[in-house]
Amino acid sequence: MTIGIIGLGNMGQMLVKGLCKSGIISPQDLIVYNRTREKAAPLQQRYPFQLAETPQIVCEKADLLFICTKPLDVLPVLRELSLPSGVHLVSVAAGVSLPDLESIHTGAISKVIPTVTSEELRGVSLLVDNPRVSPEQHAALSRLLEAIGTAEEVSEETIETATILTSSAPGLIAGILEEFAQAAVRRSPELEIDTARRMLVETLAGTSRLLENEGLSFDQLIERVATKGGITQEGLTVLGRTLPHAFDDLFLMTKEKHALLKQQVLLQHEERYGDSK
Ligand SMILES: NC(=O)C1=CN([C@@H]2O[C@H](COP(=O)(O)OP(=O)(O)OC[C@H]3O[C@@H](n4cnc5c(N)ncnc54)[C@H](OP(=O)(O)O)[C@@H]3O)[C@@H](O)[C@H]2O)C=CC1
Ligand SMILES: O=C(O)[C@@H]1CCC=N1
């Protein structure tokens, strides 16, 4: 099977690295196009994939085609192409829906929301298919996603909330850890910020191993750490007071951003067809 990738940014690169590292494909199975061709060179040296001159060549050679541009570039880029009806189109763009893509491709389409952590072969890819995806195409795509982590099938209604938990989360967790480290240094200025960051990274790795290897729930882990009448409980009380508002706000704002993106994509349809789709 030949896998095409258009757009070698964060997600395109993650797919190249993850899929090749996992051994599920060899680099020669990949055909890639990037608008700025020279950006592909370092990655191509490490993983000798085919580098196409044009995106049209990619979609003609690929059985499975990942479009990995930013959301508002997806439809304009695809519209310039003549997509073979047999190609299985996979969009990774947040805010671009299956009906948006169906206005361009009459064949099989999946929406996948991958995650940057799949470069390390861990993390969750979210997956939703349109009705034209055959069982074989679904199985082939699922196999690839399972090679770079786990794949969760979700509805288009759920995908936006789930995106925050799986795909935005690595960045959000990094943001939380940075605030955690900065607060520690504000409290104890003799502590080097890099030392605080290193402590947190190692603690995060240990925490995830403990949760996973011992099958602990979050509550069970809390019980192991927070000695009755001890120090951690004070911290948990602060989190219980402040975090529900922060996370409600986070989901509200990210939902609004999803809605804005969808509206902008809809406008792209209107500008082209002069109607609502
Ligand atoms: N980053 C993440 O963790 C995740 C991102 N996504 C989705 O993945 C998509 C890509 O995100 P990300 O990889 O971070 O973005 P990047 O900005 O890193 O990459 C975008 C890529 O699209 C290419 N591109 C832009 N415009 C065009 C065009 N007109 N024609 C051809 N190629 C073009 C760019 O090429 P050039 O090198 O020339 O600029 C670049 O390779 C987005 O839709 C996002 O919603 C989904 C889940 C997670
Ligand atoms: O932030 C973004 O828009 C993309 C989609 C999910 C993760 N990164």
Side-chain angles (χ1 to χ4, degrees), residues 6-12 33-36 39 68-71 73-74 77 92-94 112-116 167:
I6 295 176
L8 207 52
N10 295 310
M11 279 306 97
Y33 168 81
N34 198 50
R35 181 179 56 177
T36 314
K39 277 198 206 162
C68 298
T69 61
K70 286 196 275 191
D73 293 322
V74 170
V77 167
V92 304
V112 168
I113 300 291
T115 174
V116 78
S167 185

Side-chain angles (χ1 to χ4, degrees), residues 178-198:
E178 180 61 21
E179 291 297 340
F180 207 169
Q182 296 283 357
V185 172
R186 282 198 296 279
R187 171 60 48 192
S188 295
E190 70 283 2
L191 185 65
E192 298 274 347
I193 184 71
D194 282 344
T195 306
R197 289 179 181 133
R198 226 174 340 98

Side-chain angles (χ1 to χ4, degrees), residues 122-179:
R122 292 299 305 266
V124 181
S125 295
L126 304 172
L127 166 65
V128 55
D129 292 332
N130 86 340
R132 290 187 180 259
V133 176
S134 69
E136 294 73 27
Q137 286 170 319
H138 176 78
L141 176 58
S142 298
R143 261 197 309 278
L144 294 178
L145 299 178
E146 294 285 352
I148 58 171
T150 61
E152 291 274 352
E153 286 181 55
V154 290
S155 66
E156 278 219 273
E157 290 71 45
T158 315
I159 206 164
E160 293 177 7
T161 303
T163 292
I164 309 307
L165 295 178
T166 58
S167 185
S168 299
L172 296 172
I173 291 168
I176 291 169
L177 293 178
E178 180 61 21
E179 291 297 340

Side-chain angles (χ1 to χ4, degrees), residues 1-6 15-16 19-20 24-33 49-50 58-59 61-67 87-88 90 140-141 143-144:
M1 181 166 74
T2 301
I3 296 156
I5 298 177
I6 295 176
L15 285 171
V16 171
L19 292 172
C20 293
I24 188 125
I25 57 159
S26 74
Q28 291 77 25
D29 299 325
L30 283 175
I31 179 156
V32 175
Y33 168 81
F49 49 77
Q50 307 167 58
V58 175
C59 70
K61 287 202 175 171
D63 303 296
L64 186 62
L65 173 65
F66 285 93
I67 172 89
V87 76
H88 181 181
V90 181
L141 176 58
R143 261 197 309 278
L144 294 178

